[in-house]
Amino acid sequence: VAILWMVVLAFPIGAQAHDETKPEMPTLTVTGTGHLAVAPDTAFVTFGMETSGKSLAEAQRQNNLVMSKVMERLRELQIEKERIQTSSFTVSPQYKPPSKRPADAPPTPPEIIGYMVSNTVTVEVRNTEKVAAVIEESLAAGANHFQGLRWALRDEQQAKLSALKQAAARAREKATALSEALKVKLVRLISANEGSHVVRPAPHASRSMMAMDAGGSEPPIFSGEMKVEATVTLIYEIGHE
């Protein structure tokens, strides 16, 4: 009985040792890249209004007055209301600066002397030719807080797929060329890994916010191009021809 147990326990060890001596599968790894340049078809413009007053009601009334004018200008530019979103709304008390007091004097509570109301909205502009007009008209209506703009594609997925197809085709071309040069054959595809991203252009405006607020023509805004980049890595099992 003791001998049988020794044989049974030794068998897996022998099998493991046999697997370790098995030669590794020869493989070929190639990477292809794809690049696509497309013009953005959407812009997100973010701006707002900051007002202050001795009372919260006064600060909010001034803020609402200006933002109402801004919304009216946007409607005149045929910007749909569903494309306008409040991105932040904050109310901050303003305190009286602390006065000098004796070191042994008890601390006094801060005194509120006014309020600051900040209302920020983001406008989705689907006609890129209107971007400059949206900025100009919003500032002309009284907005005093301009955060900038962001370019985008409404269908990023389709652009990424096109770049991925290009990257995959280039990876296959590399694999074929290498296999011919090395005189080996591609037996089968073992794995494929992919990745893609959009490189967004930085907006450019040659005039400052103060210059635009002073009047004049619309600010020059250039959308440029958006770069879509993709990478595909293929691993093939190879054999002798």
Side-chain angles (χ1 to χ4, degrees):
V1 177
I3 295 176
L4 286 176
W5 274 109
M6 290 178 64
V7 172
V8 172
L9 292 174
F11 180 77
I13 298 175
Q16 182 177 359
H18 178 72
D19 290 340
E20 290 177 352
T21 59
K22 183 178 179 179
E24 294 184 0
M25 177 193 308
T27 60
L28 175 66
T29 302
V30 291
T31 298
T33 57
H35 303 274
L36 193 68
V38 293
D41 55 14
T42 303
F44 292 89
V45 182
T46 302
F47 56 85
M49 184 65 189
E50 290 183 351
T51 54
S52 59
K54 293 183 178 181
S55 66
L56 177 58
E58 180 184 352
Q60 190 163 344
R61 181 183 60 80
Q62 294 179 7
N63 199 291
N64 292 343
L65 181 63
V66 173
M67 293 307 290
S68 295
K69 292 180 179 179
V70 171
M71 295 302 109
E72 183 179 350
R73 296 290 183 93
L74 293 178
R75 285 195 298 269
E76 292 174 357
L77 291 172
Q78 298 181 341
I79 303 296
E80 301 89 343
K81 62 180 181 179
E82 58 267 22
R83 308 295 174 200
I84 305 172
Q85 183 181 51
T86 300
S87 50
S88 70
F89 184 88
T90 59
V91 177
S92 305
Q94 296 177 307
Y95 297 97
K96 181 179 180 179
S99 57
K100 295 183 178 181
R101 56 187 180 84
D104 57 349
T108 58
E111 179 184 351
I112 296 177
I113 59 174
Y115 291 88
M116 172 78 74
V117 175
S118 176
N119 187 1
T120 304
V121 298
T122 298
V123 181
E124 179 184 355
V125 185
R126 294 199 167 191
N127 183 351
T128 55
E129 294 182 356
K130 292 184 178 181
V131 173
V134 167
I135 297 173
E136 176 74 10
E137 292 298 322
S138 299
L139 295 176
N144 61 5
H145 187 204
F146 179 69
Q147 291 187 352
L149 60 89
R150 175 175 63 87
W151 302 104
L153 291 172
R154 288 195 291 274
D155 191 1
E156 284 191 3
Q157 184 63 17
Q158 189 59 43
K160 288 180 179 180
L161 289 176
S162 297
L164 282 171
K165 288 179 181 179
Q166 186 183 109
R170 289 179 177 175
R172 289 195 300 268
E173 290 175 0
K174 281 186 178 181
T176 301
L178 284 172
S179 65
E180 293 174 355
L182 298 173
K183 299 187 182 306
V184 296
K185 65 178 180 179
L186 303 176
V187 178
R188 65 188 178 96
L189 178 64
I190 298 175
S191 69
N193 295 303
E194 56 82 20
S196 60
H197 66 280
V198 177
V199 181
R200 305 182 187 280
H204 172 72
S206 62
R207 299 166 66 192
S208 67
M209 175 180 167
M210 292 181 63
M212 289 187 291
D213 193 40
S217 59
E218 294 177 353
I221 302 297
F222 309 103
S223 61
E225 290 183 334
M226 300 183 67
K227 311 297 183 189
V228 183
E229 300 177 351
T231 303
V232 172
T233 300
L234 306 177
I235 300 179
Y236 287 91
E237 177 188 355
I238 58 175
H240 297 291
E241 288 187 340

